[in-house]
Amino acid sequence: MSLRAFHLLFIALSVVLAAFFAAWAAGQYQSAHDLTYALVCVMSLASGVGLSLYGAAFQRKTRRL
Amino acid sequence: MNIPYTVDERPDTGLTNGKLGIWLFLASEVMLFGALFSTYIILRVGAPEWPHGELNIWLGAINTIILISSSVTMVMAWASLKMNDWGKHRLFLISTFLLAALFLVNKYFEYSAHFATGELPSHSTFLAIYYTLTGLHGLHILGGMIVMAYLLGPGAKMWKENSDQFANRIEATGLYWHFVDLVWIFLFPVLYLL
């Protein structure tokens, strides 16, 4: 496996982690009603979307490497 | 005598010797961390109760962002070399090195806060496995920094002598670095969130 393929796998797992962290923060918000957790949930989801877009762009731009 | 197949792929493996070597090394690393993760699971399943909220989740989350960013800068350092852009390669490799250092600084503050309140490895089973896993991971970060420092310093002259072999060395370093980052991607939820 090349570094390019390993990086794509890593980014995919990072997206899963971002989704998990968002779910965790949502659970904390439901039990503690602390707005910090709601903010963390939104930021984590945004990070997941950002990482997905980055992964797609990376795959497209490094096809010839 | 030159080491064979540092640039060209071996006909029997389809890989350069360097890439085969780093993957064999990473396979041994999977076994090492796999054994420790298994230990964690066995200890946790067997424990009547498991502590929650003992770790600083925000410091752990910041360190996660730092390592994901460092994986991006590392792959960019390799991609820049492939596009013959030496300046950008240096910039991205130095960025990776600095992000790694920042991770260790954060870890130092995290450990210091625990030590200040007497939370040593002997304090509980949870802290014992926490220090073992994160300490070993931290040593791997340090090892990666030593390799990067060599490639930024005396090892960089290989670029002029054999650019393809140097690019392969950066790729092998990148594979190792991604593995170390991947371990953290599993460590963070397991130790800090669950």
Side-chain angles (χ1 to χ4, degrees), chain A residues 34-59:
Chain A
D34 185 345
L35 271 179
T36 311
Y37 289 114
L39 189 67
V40 167
C41 178
V42 172
M43 283 170 65
S44 197
L45 283 175
S47 304
V49 172
L51 281 168
S52 304
L53 293 173
Y54 161 76
F58 177 80
Q59 188 182 24

Side-chain angles (χ1 to χ4, degrees), chain B residues 4 6 9-10 14 19 38-39 41-42 52 64 70 84 109 111-112 118 122 125 131 137 140 147 160 187 191-192 194:
Chain B
T6 52
E9 291 166 354
R10 273 180 74 112
K19 193 176 269 188
S38 304
T39 306
I41 292 165
I42 290 166
H52 289 280
T64 306
S70 79
N84 284 315
F109 283 120
Y111 276 9
S112 297
S122 56
T125 307
Y131 282 115
H137 179 262
H140 280 75
V147 173
K160 286 181 182 168
L187 277 180
L191 293 175
Y192 289 76
L194 293 176

Side-chain angles (χ1 to χ4, degrees), chain A:
Chain A
M1 186 188 274
S2 67
L3 178 59
R4 180 181 175 272
F6 200 23
H7 184 65
L8 285 169
L9 174 71
F10 176 78
I11 293 299
L13 287 168
S14 299
V15 171
V16 173
L17 176 66
F20 181 81
F21 193 45
W24 174 84
Q28 295 294 311
Y29 175 69
Q30 278 183 337
S31 57
H33 295 290
D34 185 345
L35 271 179
T36 311
Y37 289 114
L39 189 67
V40 167
C41 178
V42 172
M43 283 170 65
S44 197
L45 283 175
S47 304
V49 172
L51 281 168
S52 304
L53 293 173
Y54 161 76
F58 177 80
Q59 188 182 24
R60 201 172 53 248
K61 288 186 178 178
T62 60
R63 203 162 277 163
R64 289 183 184 176
L65 286 183

Side-chain angles (χ1 to χ4, degrees), chain B residues 38-71:
Chain B
S38 304
T39 306
Y40 169 86
I41 292 165
I42 290 166
L43 287 172
R44 181 156 184 177
V45 168
E49 57 183 41
W50 196 254
H52 289 280
E54 287 201 9
L55 302 179
N56 188 329
I57 291 168
W58 309 123
L59 267 183
I62 289 168
N63 266 348
T64 306
I65 294 166
I66 288 170
L67 285 191
I68 292 173
S69 305
S70 79
S71 81

Side-chain angles (χ1 to χ4, degrees), chain B residues 90-143:
Chain B
R90 298 279 292 180
L91 184 70
F92 282 123
L93 197 58
I94 289 169
S95 303
T96 313
F97 183 88
L98 292 177
L99 286 167
L102 194 59
F103 176 91
L104 289 183
V105 168
N106 264 351
K107 210 73 212 152
Y108 164 77
F109 283 120
E110 206 178 338
Y111 276 9
S112 297
H114 286 296
F115 290 157
T117 52
E119 292 176 339
L120 299 169
S122 56
H123 185 74
S124 68
T125 307
F126 169 71
L127 285 171
I129 195 77
Y130 161 76
Y131 282 115
T132 306
L133 279 165
T134 57
L136 187 66
H137 179 262
L139 284 176
H140 280 75
I141 294 278
L142 194 63

